[in-house]
Amino acid sequence: SAQDISQRMFSESALIEPAQQKDEFRALRLSEARLKLGVDISGIGLGEIDYVAGTILLDDRAAELFDLPASERMPRSLVHGRFHEEDFHRLQGQIAQLLGPQGDGSLIAEHRIRLANGEVRWLHARKQITYHFDSTGQRRPFNGLLAVLDVTERKKADERLQLLNGEIAHRCKNLLAVVQAIARQTFGATKASEKGKLFEDRLMSVAASQDLLINSDWRGVDLRTLIVSQLQHFAELSTKRVQVTGPDLKVNVAAAQAIGMAIHELATNAAKYGSLSNDDGVVDIRWEVSDEDGGSVFACRWTESGGPEVKAPTRNGFGQGVLVKAPTTALNARVQVDYLNTGVVWRLRAPVAAVLDSN
């Protein structure tokens, strides 16, 4: 009976010494105080969701963020009504998937809300829900916890940074255009000298790499895209003549610049003297990552075949610096260039940490 249960609970509690009870109670209160302090310091707002009743209960901070009543159960639709119109359908879709039969119980999203006065705020939201089975055996959402953090200032800083990056990109392009114009005047635009054309091509190679880096917010670029961008001047060649093979990798800024310039230099030389200077030659470009005793290694190889016999240069000019010295210095790489009867073979090996983007 209820009386027996009550009496048994009283008897069991009596077995605990008063001092022990006091210590356990003090530890519990201290733990609760620490948790509350941590939540207050972080600025996180919490909401308790009842999916059966379709309601939500917000604490003071969450209520402040959404500009809704605190400590009062209200329809979930009131919170959803704060979703920014441009984010509304995306969020509703994510929530529907979360609450569906295949939902995994966890949601992380960044979105805007629009308050009644028109103010827009950015929130970082995390939601964790539990499920139960109804009388028909269907899996249904039962309750959940919502945690929201105001990230408006960070988003504004990101927008300012994006605007600044755009301005830098614009100025870089203008500067490259000025350098290009100066080069044409210096080398003679009417004569279209070979040195002038070579300089202009190298300048455009730098510009192509810069464009990729700027578009990625200087967080690294896709290696395949980088290599293809350096071959765009040879678009008339069929894919059967230039093969690009390797796993999907993102390389960092230093690698994008060093490898991009090297590929451009190799392609230019191949078009002038090597396998791309006739109708039959081919180029094979491939890369891989492997684990060795010294750690993970990135390897890239350019192999020509089917072209005329090539000869090693008699002096180390700018081109050799681009192919060997630049990647060696920038990537702590080992670079080897072989001028074989079958064509040029360029090999680069470097520590993965020096090449791949870590963001």
Side-chain angles (χ1 to χ4, degrees), residues 88-355:
F88 184 84
H89 293 295
R90 172 176 62 86
L91 288 170
Q92 289 290 69
Q94 290 178 299
I95 292 172
Q97 184 176 5
L98 175 68
L99 302 182
Q102 305 302 321
D104 63 3
S106 179
L107 173 68
I108 301 176
E110 286 196 352
H111 64 88
R112 290 163 291 182
I113 60 173
R114 188 183 292 279
L115 306 184
N117 63 2
E119 179 187 351
V120 175
R121 289 176 180 165
W122 275 95
L123 298 182
H124 178 88
R126 291 174 177 253
K127 185 181 290 187
Q128 189 70 41
I129 69 174
T130 59
Y131 304 86
H132 72 135
F133 292 91
D134 62 18
S135 57
T136 66
Q138 295 293 317
R139 181 174 181 263
R140 306 283 187 187
F142 184 64
N143 55 30
L145 179 66
L146 171 69
V148 289
L149 181 66
D150 188 349
V151 293
T152 304
E153 291 305 315
R154 175 170 67 79
K155 283 293 184 178
K156 287 181 178 179
D158 288 345
E159 291 175 359
R160 289 193 294 268
L161 182 60
Q162 188 174 8
L163 181 63
L164 180 60
N165 281 340
E167 177 63 21
I168 292 174
H170 178 70
R171 294 192 180 193
C172 283
K173 288 181 178 180
N174 286 345
L175 180 60
L176 287 171
V178 170
V179 174
Q180 188 176 32
I182 293 174
R184 286 175 178 171
Q185 293 175 6
T186 302
F187 291 111
T190 55
K191 296 182 180 179
S193 67
E194 182 178 348
K195 288 185 178 181
K197 181 65 169 58
L198 182 61
F199 178 83
E200 187 173 338
D201 286 345
R202 286 169 173 165
L203 190 64
M204 296 311 296
S205 170
V206 173
S209 298
Q210 293 292 102
D211 280 345
L212 290 175
L213 289 168
I214 290 169
N215 291 336
S216 67
D217 291 331
W218 296 88
R219 295 177 181 175
V221 298
D222 177 71
L223 179 57
R224 190 183 312 274
T225 303
L226 172 70
I227 290 175
V228 171
S229 73
Q230 298 300 325
L231 300 171
Q232 61 185 345
H233 298 300
F234 310 97
E236 71 279 2
L237 299 174
S238 72
T239 54
K240 293 182 179 179
R241 297 195 61 188
V242 181
Q243 294 291 328
V244 180
T245 308
D248 292 336
L249 298 176
K250 277 196 172 183
V251 297
N252 59 35
V253 175
Q257 294 173 330
I259 295 175
M261 282 290 289
I263 293 296
H264 173 81
E265 190 69 22
L266 289 164
T268 301
N269 291 340
K272 292 171 64 176
Y273 316 112
S275 61
L276 299 182
S277 64
N278 61 14
D279 296 330
D280 303 315
V282 295
V283 172
D284 181 79
I285 309 169
R286 59 182 62 230
W287 61 89
E288 63 182 2
V289 172
S290 60
D291 291 327
E292 300 182 2
D293 293 339
S296 296
V297 174
F298 168 84
C300 183
R301 186 175 76 243
W302 167 291
T303 306
E304 298 180 30
S305 60
E309 182 179 351
V310 295
K311 296 180 180 180
T314 56
R315 61 185 182 88
N316 293 328
F318 180 82
Q320 285 297 107
V322 169
L323 292 179
V324 179
K325 187 175 180 179
T328 298
T329 303
L331 308 178
N332 191 25
R334 287 180 293 165
V335 181
Q336 181 178 344
V337 186
D338 296 315
Y339 297 88
L340 308 178
N341 292 336
T342 54
V344 173
V345 178
W346 175 83
R347 297 181 180 89
L348 178 146
R349 293 173 60 81
V352 162
V355 176

Side-chain angles (χ1 to χ4, degrees), residues 23-135:
D23 289 343
E24 291 179 352
F25 181 72
R26 185 183 296 111
L28 179 62
R29 292 294 300 270
L30 181 60
S31 177
E32 291 176 347
R34 287 173 176 168
L35 176 61
K36 184 178 185 304
L37 179 62
V39 171
D40 290 343
I41 291 175
S42 66
I44 294 175
L46 301 176
E48 179 188 340
I49 309 167
D50 184 338
Y51 287 105
V52 177
T55 60
I56 187 169
L57 178 69
L58 302 177
D59 70 358
D60 291 341
R61 178 55 178 160
E64 178 186 351
L65 291 175
F66 284 104
D67 192 21
L68 289 171
S71 305
E72 176 182 320
R73 291 212 168 266
M74 67 189 84
R76 293 170 51 227
S77 59
L78 289 181
V79 172
H80 293 186
R82 293 292 196 229
F83 293 166
H84 193 280
E85 56 273 12
E86 294 182 12
D87 297 336
F88 184 84
H89 293 295
R90 172 176 62 86
L91 288 170
Q92 289 290 69
Q94 290 178 299
I95 292 172
Q97 184 176 5
L98 175 68
L99 302 182
Q102 305 302 321
D104 63 3
S106 179
L107 173 68
I108 301 176
E110 286 196 352
H111 64 88
R112 290 163 291 182
I113 60 173
R114 188 183 292 279
L115 306 184
N117 63 2
E119 179 187 351
V120 175
R121 289 176 180 165
W122 275 95
L123 298 182
H124 178 88
R126 291 174 177 253
K127 185 181 290 187
Q128 189 70 41
I129 69 174
T130 59
Y131 304 86
H132 72 135
F133 292 91
D134 62 18
S135 57

